[in-house]
Amino acid sequence: MTRFSANLGFLWADLPLPDAIRAAHAAGFDAVECHWPYDHDPAAVRAALDETGLPMLGLNTLRGQPGENGLAALPDRRSEARVEIDRAIRYARAIGCGSVHVMAGFAQGREAEAAFLANLDYACTTAPDLTILIEPLNHYDAPGYFLQGSDQAAELIRRAGHGNLRMMFDCYHLQIMEGDLTRRLERHLPIIGHIQIASVPDRGTPDHGELDYRHIISHLKALGWSRPLGAEYRPVGPTDATLDWLVDEGLAIRY
Ligand SMILES: O=C(O)[C@H](O)C(=O)CO
Ligand SMILES: [Mg+2]
């Protein structure tokens, strides 16, 4: 049976993180992930994870100043980027979370690439016990973001040369930017650390829109992918009222 992780940056985002973890558990999710948990006491987050038995799969580095979307590819912000990488690693270890998504930021060009690679090297060597993720984002939601494609991410991972550096393959972003998801998943599977899903183009529940997740999920199964898929969609209204796709076998998403 396919397993799903609730992205608590979007799902139950109105609740304090420990309560959002409990809500995800009550709804039947198999895991959780989040964006920026730093306002929440890690001990309380860990207690909710222990109580529910849900693993926390990932969290993000902080984005920087208002309007920024990460610091790791900004050539003149190296020390701040590393403070945020350290903060994320510390928090991940405190709650028993396995991955840190290092956010690149708005930047382009060779200097940005060199800065990103140097900061990824720092993250991967500082935390060999964790998976470090990089995620291509689409150019409507994040215009000017450094990382916008799966091949670009794969090339960076190859050049970085760290076994614990992997791609966060967000089907929503990559369908918008590239399409051809079946072949891209096949090609990049060995370096994919996490997969996220949402409808395209509205970033809603994964049961409508231009992507057929019944196909993607059965293909991932055939490829041997068994880790939970991250439900990173924006609920319209209360999250609990948006879970038909998760519980209704008739929709054939969950099989
Ligand atoms: O927006 C996304 O897809 C992310 O996964 C994220 O971590 C924040 O940008
Ligand atoms: Mg994502």
Side-chain angles (χ1 to χ4, degrees), residues 10 35-36 60 69 101 103 135 137 168 170 173 196 203 232:
F10 289 165
H35 288 157
W36 302 283
N60 295 352
N69 209 22
H101 167 204
M103 297 203 62
E135 180 185 28
L137 302 181
M168 176 124 78
D170 187 326
H173 291 297
Q196 295 174 324
R203 209 172 201 185
E232 193 183 33

Side-chain angles (χ1 to χ4, degrees), residues 4-5 7 10-11 29 33 35 135 138 141 169-176 181 194-214 216-217 220 229-236 242 245 253:
F4 293 95
S5 162
N7 188 298
F10 289 165
L11 307 192
F29 279 95
E33 58 197 64
H35 288 157
E135 180 185 28
N138 81 73
D141 293 356
F169 192 107
D170 187 326
C171 296
Y172 161 77
H173 291 297
L174 290 173
Q175 168 68 6
I176 291 170
L181 293 194
H194 187 49
I195 297 174
Q196 295 174 324
I197 60 172
S199 62
V200 178
D202 62 357
R203 209 172 201 185
T205 52
D207 54 1
H208 65 277
E210 70 189 51
L211 272 177
D212 184 352
Y213 282 107
R214 291 169 305 181
I216 289 184
I217 288 171
L220 282 171
L229 302 177
E232 193 183 33
Y233 66 87
R234 293 185 189 278
V236 177
T242 67
W245 67 273
I253 296 282

Side-chain angles (χ1 to χ4, degrees), residues 12-34:
W12 294 286
D14 51 323
L15 298 181
L17 189 53
D19 291 340
I21 291 167
R22 293 183 186 101
H25 179 251
F29 279 95
D30 307 288
V32 289
E33 58 197 64
C34 61

Side-chain angles (χ1 to χ4, degrees), residues 70-239:
L71 301 170
L74 308 193
D76 52 349
R77 306 283 290 281
R78 183 169 294 201
S79 56
E80 284 168 86
R82 292 187 183 189
V83 166
E84 295 313 337
I85 289 168
D86 288 342
R87 185 199 310 276
I89 289 170
R90 216 167 35 243
Y91 198 101
R93 285 179 177 151
I95 64 169
C97 166
S99 306
V100 166
H101 167 204
V102 174
M103 297 203 62
F106 300 122
Q108 298 297 319
R110 283 185 185 278
E111 283 184 23
E113 185 177 84
F116 197 33
L117 279 169
N119 284 322
L120 292 174
D121 181 62
Y122 176 78
C124 290
T125 50
T126 304
D129 52 321
L130 301 178
T131 299
I132 303 300
L133 295 172
I134 57 174
E135 180 185 28
L137 302 181
N138 81 73
H139 62 182
Y140 297 108
D141 293 356
Y145 193 69
F146 176 74
L147 193 55
Q148 299 194 346
S150 60
D151 291 338
Q152 182 193 6
E155 176 61 9
L156 286 167
I157 290 167
R158 190 192 64 74
R159 286 174 58 195
H162 288 286
N164 63 330
L165 179 61
R166 288 176 177 255
M167 187 187 319
M168 176 124 78
F169 192 107
D170 187 326
C171 296
Y172 161 77
H173 291 297
L174 290 173
Q175 168 68 6
I176 291 170
M177 295 304 287
E178 305 181 319
D180 199 18
L181 293 194
T182 301
R183 290 188 185 85
R184 286 186 191 281
L185 284 165
E186 279 169 13
R187 181 156 80 244
H188 297 309
L189 204 71
I191 54 157
I192 292 175
H194 187 49
I195 297 174
Q196 295 174 324
I197 60 172
S199 62
V200 178
D202 62 357
R203 209 172 201 185
T205 52
D207 54 1
H208 65 277
E210 70 189 51
L211 272 177
D212 184 352
Y213 282 107
R214 291 169 305 181
H215 165 77
I216 289 184
I217 288 171
S218 67
H219 194 62
L220 282 171
K221 227 164 142 181
L223 292 174
W225 182 270
S226 59
R227 294 202 284 277
L229 302 177
E232 193 183 33
Y233 66 87
R234 293 185 189 278
V236 177
T239 300

Side-chain angles (χ1 to χ4, degrees), residues 62-75:
L62 275 172
R63 287 185 287 191
Q65 299 300 314
E68 294 186 316
N69 209 22
L71 301 170
L74 308 193

